[in-house]
Amino acid sequence: MFGNAFSGWHLLILLAVVLLLFGAAKLPRLAQSVGQSMRVFKSEVKSMKEENEAPAAGVDDVAPVLPAVVDAAPPLRTEPSRQTHDA
């Protein structure tokens, strides 16, 4: 996953720093909390996938929405044009 970024010594030092920061008593609660968060996250992702797949299965049941037709031509003039006569 990390390639050559971490060796055994790096991970050992990282574990020691985590132990010093959180203490041995808090680590089990921290791990439990992370586990619960991951379970909630996985269940939400699964429900989102199911929601996205459900409408695709029932596409035939929905009537298509047609776009409105807009007439772009200006209205025709129905009254005769008035011409001025010079007498």
mmCIF file of all heavy atoms in Angstrom, residues 3-51:
data_model
loop_
_atom_site.group_PDB
_atom_site.id
_atom_site.type_symbol
_atom_site.label_atom_id
_atom_site.label_comp_id
_atom_site.label_asym_id
_atom_site.label_seq_id
_atom_site.Cartn_x
_atom_site.Cartn_y
_atom_site.Cartn_z
ATOM 1 N N GLY A 3 4.208 1.097 -0.328
ATOM 2 C CA GLY A 3 5.444 0.851 -1.057
ATOM 3 C C GLY A 3 6.631 0.850 -0.115
ATOM 4 O O GLY A 3 6.655 0.154 0.888
ATOM 5 N N ASN A 4 7.630 1.636 -0.420
ATOM 6 C CA ASN A 4 8.841 1.712 0.402
ATOM 7 C C ASN A 4 8.810 2.876 1.377
ATOM 8 O O ASN A 4 9.839 3.249 1.918
ATOM 9 C CB ASN A 4 10.069 1.832 -0.511
ATOM 10 C CG ASN A 4 10.285 0.572 -1.324
ATOM 11 O OD1 ASN A 4 9.938 -0.512 -0.874
ATOM 12 N ND2 ASN A 4 10.837 0.719 -2.508
ATOM 13 N N ALA A 5 7.656 3.467 1.578
ATOM 14 C CA ALA A 5 7.566 4.643 2.440
ATOM 15 C C ALA A 5 7.826 4.298 3.902
ATOM 16 O O ALA A 5 8.451 5.064 4.626
ATOM 17 C CB ALA A 5 6.205 5.303 2.298
ATOM 18 N N PHE A 6 7.352 3.146 4.366
ATOM 19 C CA PHE A 6 7.527 2.759 5.761
ATOM 20 C C PHE A 6 8.268 1.434 5.838
ATOM 21 O O PHE A 6 7.920 0.478 5.163
ATOM 22 C CB PHE A 6 6.173 2.589 6.470
ATOM 23 C CG PHE A 6 5.431 3.870 6.654
ATOM 24 C CD1 PHE A 6 4.252 4.109 5.970
ATOM 25 C CD2 PHE A 6 5.891 4.843 7.513
ATOM 26 C CE1 PHE A 6 3.556 5.279 6.138
ATOM 27 C CE2 PHE A 6 5.203 6.023 7.696
ATOM 28 C CZ PHE A 6 4.034 6.246 7.003
ATOM 29 N N SER A 7 9.261 1.397 6.685
ATOM 30 C CA SER A 7 9.931 0.130 6.964
ATOM 31 C C SER A 7 9.480 -0.340 8.347
ATOM 32 O O SER A 7 8.644 0.301 8.994
ATOM 33 C CB SER A 7 11.452 0.311 6.916
ATOM 34 O OG SER A 7 11.880 1.116 7.995
ATOM 35 N N GLY A 8 10.021 -1.436 8.802
ATOM 36 C CA GLY A 8 9.655 -1.964 10.116
ATOM 37 C C GLY A 8 9.962 -0.991 11.242
ATOM 38 O O GLY A 8 9.197 -0.852 12.196
ATOM 39 N N TRP A 9 11.093 -0.302 11.141
ATOM 40 C CA TRP A 9 11.476 0.648 12.180
ATOM 41 C C TRP A 9 10.517 1.839 12.233
ATOM 42 O O TRP A 9 10.189 2.339 13.316
ATOM 43 C CB TRP A 9 12.909 1.149 11.963
ATOM 44 C CG TRP A 9 13.920 0.103 12.320
ATOM 45 C CD1 TRP A 9 14.677 -0.617 11.468
ATOM 46 C CD2 TRP A 9 14.235 -0.340 13.630
ATOM 47 N NE1 TRP A 9 15.446 -1.492 12.148
ATOM 48 C CE2 TRP A 9 15.207 -1.342 13.503
ATOM 49 C CE3 TRP A 9 13.793 0.006 14.900
ATOM 50 C CZ2 TRP A 9 15.748 -2.001 14.590
ATOM 51 C CZ3 TRP A 9 14.339 -0.650 15.987
ATOM 52 C CH2 TRP A 9 15.293 -1.638 15.839
ATOM 53 N N HIS A 10 10.089 2.302 11.088
ATOM 54 C CA HIS A 10 9.153 3.428 11.060
ATOM 55 C C HIS A 10 7.846 3.066 11.770
ATOM 56 O O HIS A 10 7.310 3.858 12.551
ATOM 57 C CB HIS A 10 8.853 3.845 9.620
ATOM 58 C CG HIS A 10 9.992 4.487 8.930
ATOM 59 N ND1 HIS A 10 10.666 3.869 7.912
ATOM 60 C CD2 HIS A 10 10.578 5.700 9.103
ATOM 61 C CE1 HIS A 10 11.628 4.669 7.483
ATOM 62 N NE2 HIS A 10 11.594 5.788 8.191
ATOM 63 N N LEU A 11 7.348 1.873 11.483
ATOM 64 C CA LEU A 11 6.094 1.451 12.114
ATOM 65 C C LEU A 11 6.256 1.249 13.614
ATOM 66 O O LEU A 11 5.349 1.574 14.386
ATOM 67 C CB LEU A 11 5.577 0.173 11.449
ATOM 68 C CG LEU A 11 5.164 0.339 9.981
ATOM 69 C CD1 LEU A 11 4.765 -1.004 9.393
ATOM 70 C CD2 LEU A 11 4.040 1.330 9.839
ATOM 71 N N LEU A 12 7.411 0.751 14.026
ATOM 72 C CA LEU A 12 7.666 0.563 15.458
ATOM 73 C C LEU A 12 7.734 1.908 16.179
ATOM 74 O O LEU A 12 7.150 2.077 17.261
ATOM 75 C CB LEU A 12 8.977 -0.214 15.655
ATOM 76 C CG LEU A 12 9.298 -0.649 17.069
ATOM 77 C CD1 LEU A 12 8.226 -1.616 17.577
ATOM 78 C CD2 LEU A 12 10.669 -1.294 17.129
ATOM 79 N N ILE A 13 8.378 2.875 15.589
ATOM 80 C CA ILE A 13 8.457 4.218 16.186
ATOM 81 C C ILE A 13 7.075 4.862 16.211
ATOM 82 O O ILE A 13 6.692 5.498 17.210
ATOM 83 C CB ILE A 13 9.477 5.086 15.421
ATOM 84 C CG1 ILE A 13 10.891 4.549 15.638
ATOM 85 C CG2 ILE A 13 9.377 6.550 15.837
ATOM 86 C CD1 ILE A 13 11.946 5.187 14.763
ATOM 87 N N LEU A 14 6.313 4.686 15.163
ATOM 88 C CA LEU A 14 4.957 5.229 15.114
ATOM 89 C C LEU A 14 4.090 4.618 16.215
ATOM 90 O O LEU A 14 3.328 5.332 16.889
ATOM 91 C CB LEU A 14 4.341 4.979 13.743
ATOM 92 C CG LEU A 14 2.980 5.586 13.488
ATOM 93 C CD1 LEU A 14 3.048 7.103 13.518
ATOM 94 C CD2 LEU A 14 2.433 5.123 12.154
ATOM 95 N N LEU A 15 4.205 3.326 16.428
ATOM 96 C CA LEU A 15 3.445 2.662 17.483
ATOM 97 C C LEU A 15 3.852 3.180 18.861
ATOM 98 O O LEU A 15 2.995 3.410 19.726
ATOM 99 C CB LEU A 15 3.649 1.146 17.403
ATOM 100 C CG LEU A 15 2.907 0.317 18.428
ATOM 101 C CD1 LEU A 15 1.404 0.453 18.251
ATOM 102 C CD2 LEU A 15 3.327 -1.136 18.339
ATOM 103 N N ALA A 16 5.138 3.429 19.071
ATOM 104 C CA ALA A 16 5.617 3.959 20.355
ATOM 105 C C ALA A 16 5.073 5.365 20.596
ATOM 106 O O ALA A 16 4.664 5.699 21.721
ATOM 107 C CB ALA A 16 7.141 3.959 20.383
ATOM 108 N N VAL A 17 5.033 6.190 19.547
ATOM 109 C CA VAL A 17 4.511 7.552 19.687
ATOM 110 C C VAL A 17 3.017 7.514 20.023
ATOM 111 O O VAL A 17 2.542 8.260 20.888
ATOM 112 C CB VAL A 17 4.781 8.364 18.404
ATOM 113 C CG1 VAL A 17 4.025 9.683 18.411
ATOM 114 C CG2 VAL A 17 6.273 8.620 18.249
ATOM 115 N N VAL A 18 2.271 6.640 19.373
ATOM 116 C CA VAL A 18 0.842 6.511 19.656
ATOM 117 C C VAL A 18 0.636 6.054 21.098
ATOM 118 O O VAL A 18 -0.251 6.562 21.792
ATOM 119 C CB VAL A 18 0.180 5.541 18.645
ATOM 120 C CG1 VAL A 18 -1.209 5.157 19.081
ATOM 121 C CG2 VAL A 18 0.152 6.165 17.272
ATOM 122 N N LEU A 19 1.448 5.115 21.552
ATOM 123 C CA LEU A 19 1.345 4.653 22.942
ATOM 124 C C LEU A 19 1.630 5.784 23.924
ATOM 125 O O LEU A 19 0.942 5.920 24.947
ATOM 126 C CB LEU A 19 2.328 3.505 23.188
ATOM 127 C CG LEU A 19 1.734 2.129 23.270
ATOM 128 C CD1 LEU A 19 2.822 1.072 23.343
ATOM 129 C CD2 LEU A 19 0.790 1.999 24.422
ATOM 130 N N LEU A 20 2.623 6.596 23.635
ATOM 131 C CA LEU A 20 2.946 7.715 24.530
ATOM 132 C C LEU A 20 1.849 8.775 24.525
ATOM 133 O O LEU A 20 1.540 9.367 25.561
ATOM 134 C CB LEU A 20 4.277 8.349 24.121
ATOM 135 C CG LEU A 20 5.520 7.522 24.431
ATOM 136 C CD1 LEU A 20 6.750 8.190 23.838
ATOM 137 C CD2 LEU A 20 5.680 7.342 25.936
ATOM 138 N N LEU A 21 1.272 9.046 23.359
ATOM 139 C CA LEU A 21 0.249 10.089 23.280
ATOM 140 C C LEU A 21 -1.061 9.665 23.941
ATOM 141 O O LEU A 21 -1.664 10.449 24.689
ATOM 142 C CB LEU A 21 -0.021 10.457 21.818
ATOM 143 C CG LEU A 21 1.059 11.262 21.114
ATOM 144 C CD1 LEU A 21 0.692 11.464 19.648
ATOM 145 C CD2 LEU A 21 1.263 12.607 21.792
ATOM 146 N N PHE A 22 -1.513 8.471 23.670
ATOM 147 C CA PHE A 22 -2.828 8.062 24.149
ATOM 148 C C PHE A 22 -2.784 7.243 25.425
ATOM 149 O O PHE A 22 -3.777 7.145 26.133
ATOM 150 C CB PHE A 22 -3.568 7.271 23.054
ATOM 151 C CG PHE A 22 -3.890 8.110 21.862
ATOM 152 C CD1 PHE A 22 -3.171 7.964 20.688
ATOM 153 C CD2 PHE A 22 -4.893 9.057 21.901
ATOM 154 C CE1 PHE A 22 -3.454 8.733 19.580
ATOM 155 C CE2 PHE A 22 -5.183 9.831 20.803
ATOM 156 C CZ PHE A 22 -4.467 9.674 19.641
ATOM 157 N N GLY A 23 -1.689 6.618 25.722
ATOM 158 C CA GLY A 23 -1.599 5.792 26.917
ATOM 159 C C GLY A 23 -2.202 4.416 26.671
ATOM 160 O O GLY A 23 -3.084 4.238 25.838
ATOM 161 N N ALA A 24 -1.725 3.441 27.395
ATOM 162 C CA ALA A 24 -2.160 2.062 27.200
ATOM 163 C C ALA A 24 -3.626 1.871 27.601
ATOM 164 O O ALA A 24 -4.318 1.031 27.046
ATOM 165 C CB ALA A 24 -1.264 1.122 27.984
ATOM 166 N N ALA A 25 -4.116 2.651 28.549
ATOM 167 C CA ALA A 25 -5.495 2.479 29.022
ATOM 168 C C ALA A 25 -6.512 2.959 27.986
ATOM 169 O O ALA A 25 -7.616 2.421 27.899
ATOM 170 C CB ALA A 25 -5.692 3.231 30.328
ATOM 171 N N LYS A 26 -6.155 3.958 27.206
ATOM 172 C CA LYS A 26 -7.113 4.532 26.248
ATOM 173 C C LYS A 26 -7.115 3.822 24.897
ATOM 174 O O LYS A 26 -8.056 3.987 24.123
ATOM 175 C CB LYS A 26 -6.793 6.010 26.024
ATOM 176 C CG LYS A 26 -7.052 6.865 27.232
ATOM 177 C CD LYS A 26 -6.800 8.314 26.920
ATOM 178 C CE LYS A 26 -7.017 9.175 28.146
ATOM 179 N NZ LYS A 26 -6.750 10.581 27.870
ATOM 180 N N LEU A 27 -6.103 3.033 24.594
ATOM 181 C CA LEU A 27 -6.019 2.400 23.278
ATOM 182 C C LEU A 27 -7.166 1.438 22.979
ATOM 183 O O LEU A 27 -7.681 1.451 21.868
ATOM 184 C CB LEU A 27 -4.673 1.702 23.115
ATOM 185 C CG LEU A 27 -3.494 2.640 22.831
ATOM 186 C CD1 LEU A 27 -2.209 1.845 22.685
ATOM 187 C CD2 LEU A 27 -3.739 3.454 21.594
ATOM 188 N N PRO A 28 -7.611 0.585 23.908
ATOM 189 C CA PRO A 28 -8.747 -0.291 23.579
ATOM 190 C C PRO A 28 -10.021 0.487 23.242
ATOM 191 O O PRO A 28 -10.744 0.135 22.303
ATOM 192 C CB PRO A 28 -8.940 -1.136 24.834
ATOM 193 C CG PRO A 28 -7.621 -1.121 25.505
ATOM 194 C CD PRO A 28 -7.030 0.221 25.196
ATOM 195 N N ARG A 29 -10.290 1.552 23.995
ATOM 196 C CA ARG A 29 -11.474 2.371 23.696
ATOM 197 C C ARG A 29 -11.327 3.077 22.355
ATOM 198 O O ARG A 29 -12.293 3.205 21.605
ATOM 199 C CB ARG A 29 -11.715 3.380 24.803
ATOM 200 C CG ARG A 29 -12.301 2.746 26.065
ATOM 201 C CD ARG A 29 -12.638 3.784 27.067
ATOM 202 N NE ARG A 29 -11.341 4.201 27.657
ATOM 203 C CZ ARG A 29 -11.154 5.265 28.396
ATOM 204 N NH1 ARG A 29 -12.157 6.061 28.653
ATOM 205 N NH2 ARG A 29 -9.974 5.558 28.869
ATOM 206 N N LEU A 30 -10.123 3.522 22.051
ATOM 207 C CA LEU A 30 -9.859 4.171 20.772
ATOM 208 C C LEU A 30 -10.065 3.188 19.620
ATOM 209 O O LEU A 30 -10.704 3.521 18.616
ATOM 210 C CB LEU A 30 -8.432 4.731 20.746
ATOM 211 C CG LEU A 30 -7.996 5.452 19.473
ATOM 212 C CD1 LEU A 30 -8.797 6.727 19.294
ATOM 213 C CD2 LEU A 30 -6.520 5.759 19.527
ATOM 214 N N ALA A 31 -9.562 1.961 19.773
ATOM 215 C CA ALA A 31 -9.732 0.949 18.732
ATOM 216 C C ALA A 31 -11.204 0.584 18.559
ATOM 217 O O ALA A 31 -11.672 0.394 17.432
ATOM 218 C CB ALA A 31 -8.915 -0.287 19.072
ATOM 219 N N GLN A 32 -11.937 0.498 19.667
ATOM 220 C CA GLN A 32 -13.365 0.184 19.595
ATOM 221 C C GLN A 32 -14.112 1.301 18.879
ATOM 222 O O GLN A 32 -14.975 1.047 18.034
ATOM 223 C CB GLN A 32 -13.929 -0.014 21.000
ATOM 224 C CG GLN A 32 -15.390 -0.383 21.016
ATOM 225 C CD GLN A 32 -15.928 -0.517 22.433
ATOM 226 O OE1 GLN A 32 -15.273 -0.117 23.396
ATOM 227 N NE2 GLN A 32 -17.114 -1.067 22.566
ATOM 228 N N SER A 33 -13.783 2.514 19.174
ATOM 229 C CA SER A 33 -14.430 3.656 18.538
ATOM 230 C C SER A 33 -14.143 3.689 17.034
ATOM 231 O O SER A 33 -15.038 3.953 16.225
ATOM 232 C CB SER A 33 -13.948 4.950 19.191
ATOM 233 O OG SER A 33 -14.457 6.064 18.526
ATOM 234 N N VAL A 34 -12.906 3.415 16.656
ATOM 235 C CA VAL A 34 -12.551 3.383 15.234
ATOM 236 C C VAL A 34 -13.296 2.250 14.540
ATOM 237 O O VAL A 34 -13.807 2.420 13.419
ATOM 238 C CB VAL A 34 -11.021 3.236 15.061
ATOM 239 C CG1 VAL A 34 -10.653 2.933 13.617
ATOM 240 C CG2 VAL A 34 -10.322 4.493 15.513
ATOM 241 N N GLY A 35 -13.415 1.107 15.186
ATOM 242 C CA GLY A 35 -14.144 -0.022 14.610
ATOM 243 C C GLY A 35 -15.611 0.297 14.398
ATOM 244 O O GLY A 35 -16.192 -0.029 13.355
ATOM 245 N N GLN A 36 -16.236 0.941 15.377
ATOM 246 C CA GLN A 36 -17.644 1.327 15.239
ATOM 247 C C GLN A 36 -17.823 2.340 14.110
ATOM 248 O O GLN A 36 -18.776 2.260 13.329
ATOM 249 C CB GLN A 36 -18.171 1.901 16.547
ATOM 250 C CG GLN A 36 -18.409 0.865 17.617
ATOM 251 C CD GLN A 36 -18.845 1.508 18.929
ATOM 252 O OE1 GLN A 36 -18.744 2.717 19.108
ATOM 253 N NE2 GLN A 36 -19.323 0.680 19.853
ATOM 254 N N SER A 37 -16.915 3.270 14.020
ATOM 255 C CA SER A 37 -16.991 4.274 12.958
ATOM 256 C C SER A 37 -16.869 3.628 11.584
ATOM 257 O O SER A 37 -17.588 3.994 10.649
ATOM 258 C CB SER A 37 -15.895 5.320 13.127
ATOM 259 O OG SER A 37 -16.050 5.997 14.348
ATOM 260 N N MET A 38 -15.979 2.657 11.459
ATOM 261 C CA MET A 38 -15.813 1.964 10.180
ATOM 262 C C MET A 38 -17.065 1.166 9.818
ATOM 263 O O MET A 38 -17.472 1.140 8.663
ATOM 264 C CB MET A 38 -14.602 1.031 10.231
ATOM 265 C CG MET A 38 -13.273 1.757 10.219
ATOM 266 S SD MET A 38 -13.034 2.793 8.772
ATOM 267 C CE MET A 38 -12.998 1.566 7.496
ATOM 268 N N ARG A 39 -17.704 0.533 10.810
ATOM 269 C CA ARG A 39 -18.932 -0.210 10.534
ATOM 270 C C ARG A 39 -20.046 0.717 10.070
ATOM 271 O O ARG A 39 -20.780 0.402 9.135
ATOM 272 C CB ARG A 39 -19.372 -0.987 11.787
ATOM 273 C CG ARG A 39 -18.729 -2.360 11.854
ATOM 274 C CD ARG A 39 -19.261 -3.150 13.026
ATOM 275 N NE ARG A 39 -18.132 -3.236 13.965
ATOM 276 C CZ ARG A 39 -18.137 -2.844 15.215
ATOM 277 N NH1 ARG A 39 -19.222 -2.368 15.758
ATOM 278 N NH2 ARG A 39 -17.068 -2.944 15.963
ATOM 279 N N VAL A 40 -20.181 1.864 10.716
ATOM 280 C CA VAL A 40 -21.203 2.830 10.317
ATOM 281 C C VAL A 40 -20.918 3.336 8.904
ATOM 282 O O VAL A 40 -21.825 3.440 8.074
ATOM 283 C CB VAL A 40 -21.261 4.005 11.325
ATOM 284 C CG1 VAL A 40 -22.089 5.144 10.781
ATOM 285 C CG2 VAL A 40 -21.802 3.526 12.653
ATOM 286 N N PHE A 41 -19.658 3.629 8.630
ATOM 287 C CA PHE A 41 -19.276 4.114 7.307
ATOM 288 C C PHE A 41 -19.595 3.080 6.227
ATOM 289 O O PHE A 41 -20.160 3.407 5.184
ATOM 290 C CB PHE A 41 -17.783 4.463 7.295
ATOM 291 C CG PHE A 41 -17.286 4.964 5.976
ATOM 292 C CD1 PHE A 41 -17.606 6.235 5.544
ATOM 293 C CD2 PHE A 41 -16.504 4.153 5.164
ATOM 294 C CE1 PHE A 41 -17.152 6.703 4.317
ATOM 295 C CE2 PHE A 41 -16.054 4.606 3.947
ATOM 296 C CZ PHE A 41 -16.369 5.885 3.524
ATOM 297 N N LYS A 42 -19.245 1.818 6.480
ATOM 298 C CA LYS A 42 -19.518 0.758 5.503
ATOM 299 C C LYS A 42 -21.011 0.585 5.272
ATOM 300 O O LYS A 42 -21.462 0.393 4.142
ATOM 301 C CB LYS A 42 -18.913 -0.563 5.968
ATOM 302 C CG LYS A 42 -17.418 -0.628 5.806
ATOM 303 C CD LYS A 42 -16.884 -1.973 6.262
ATOM 304 C CE LYS A 42 -15.387 -2.049 6.141
ATOM 305 N NZ LYS A 42 -14.876 -3.354 6.598
ATOM 306 N N SER A 43 -21.811 0.652 6.338
ATOM 307 C CA SER A 43 -23.253 0.490 6.172
ATOM 308 C C SER A 43 -23.852 1.660 5.385
ATOM 309 O O SER A 43 -24.759 1.473 4.574
ATOM 310 C CB SER A 43 -23.947 0.334 7.518
ATOM 311 O OG SER A 43 -23.881 1.532 8.253
ATOM 312 N N GLU A 44 -23.348 2.866 5.595
ATOM 313 C CA GLU A 44 -23.844 4.024 4.845
ATOM 314 C C GLU A 44 -23.470 3.931 3.371
ATOM 315 O O GLU A 44 -24.273 4.253 2.502
ATOM 316 C CB GLU A 44 -23.294 5.320 5.444
ATOM 317 C CG GLU A 44 -23.859 5.659 6.800
ATOM 318 C CD GLU A 44 -25.353 5.901 6.766
ATOM 319 O OE1 GLU A 44 -25.845 6.511 5.798
ATOM 320 O OE2 GLU A 44 -26.030 5.471 7.712
ATOM 321 N N VAL A 45 -22.264 3.483 3.086
ATOM 322 C CA VAL A 45 -21.846 3.323 1.698
ATOM 323 C C VAL A 45 -22.706 2.261 1.020
ATOM 324 O O VAL A 45 -23.143 2.433 -0.126
ATOM 325 C CB VAL A 45 -20.343 2.960 1.618
ATOM 326 C CG1 VAL A 45 -19.953 2.510 0.220
ATOM 327 C CG2 VAL A 45 -19.495 4.146 2.042
ATOM 328 N N LYS A 46 -22.977 1.175 1.729
ATOM 329 C CA LYS A 46 -23.805 0.100 1.169
ATOM 330 C C LYS A 46 -25.222 0.601 0.889
ATOM 331 O O LYS A 46 -25.793 0.324 -0.163
ATOM 332 C CB LYS A 46 -23.851 -1.076 2.139
ATOM 333 C CG LYS A 46 -24.615 -2.253 1.625
ATOM 334 C CD LYS A 46 -24.615 -3.390 2.631
ATOM 335 C CE LYS A 46 -25.460 -4.543 2.136
ATOM 336 N NZ LYS A 46 -25.515 -5.630 3.110
ATOM 337 N N SER A 47 -25.790 1.370 1.810
ATOM 338 C CA SER A 47 -27.147 1.876 1.596
ATOM 339 C C SER A 47 -27.182 2.885 0.441
ATOM 340 O O SER A 47 -28.153 2.932 -0.318
ATOM 341 C CB SER A 47 -27.705 2.495 2.874
ATOM 342 O OG SER A 47 -27.001 3.665 3.206
ATOM 343 N N MET A 48 -26.129 3.680 0.280
ATOM 344 C CA MET A 48 -26.081 4.622 -0.837
ATOM 345 C C MET A 48 -26.009 3.880 -2.167
ATOM 346 O O MET A 48 -26.643 4.281 -3.143
ATOM 347 C CB MET A 48 -24.892 5.573 -0.687
ATOM 348 C CG MET A 48 -25.076 6.610 0.405
ATOM 349 S SD MET A 48 -23.633 7.646 0.639
ATOM 350 C CE MET A 48 -23.550 8.481 -0.919
ATOM 351 N N LYS A 49 -25.237 2.786 -2.218
ATOM 352 C CA LYS A 49 -25.156 1.994 -3.444
ATOM 353 C C LYS A 49 -26.505 1.386 -3.766
ATOM 354 O O LYS A 49 -26.928 1.351 -4.924
ATOM 355 C CB LYS A 49 -24.110 0.892 -3.298
ATOM 356 C CG LYS A 49 -22.698 1.378 -3.405
ATOM 357 C CD LYS A 49 -21.720 0.223 -3.292
ATOM 358 C CE LYS A 49 -20.284 0.701 -3.365
ATOM 359 N NZ LYS A 49 -19.342 -0.425 -3.206
ATOM 360 N N GLU A 50 -27.211 0.887 -2.752
ATOM 361 C CA GLU A 50 -28.529 0.291 -2.966
ATOM 362 C C GLU A 50 -29.529 1.334 -3.450
ATOM 363 O O GLU A 50 -30.374 1.051 -4.294
ATOM 364 C CB GLU A 50 -29.029 -0.375 -1.692
ATOM 365 C CG GLU A 50 -28.270 -1.636 -1.335
ATOM 366 C CD GLU A 50 -28.666 -2.198 0.019
ATOM 367 O OE1 GLU A 50 -29.461 -1.555 0.727
ATOM 368 O OE2 GLU A 50 -28.164 -3.277 0.369
ATOM 369 N N GLU A 51 -29.455 2.550 -2.935
ATOM 370 C CA GLU A 51 -30.350 3.619 -3.374
ATOM 371 C C GLU A 51 -30.086 3.985 -4.830
ATOM 372 O O GLU A 51 -31.017 4.265 -5.580
ATOM 373 C CB GLU A 51 -30.175 4.857 -2.497
ATOM 374 C CG GLU A 51 -30.778 4.730 -1.129
ATOM 375 C CD GLU A 51 -30.514 5.961 -0.274
ATOM 376 O OE1 GLU A 51 -29.960 6.949 -0.801
ATOM 377 O OE2 GLU A 51 -30.860 5.921 0.914
#
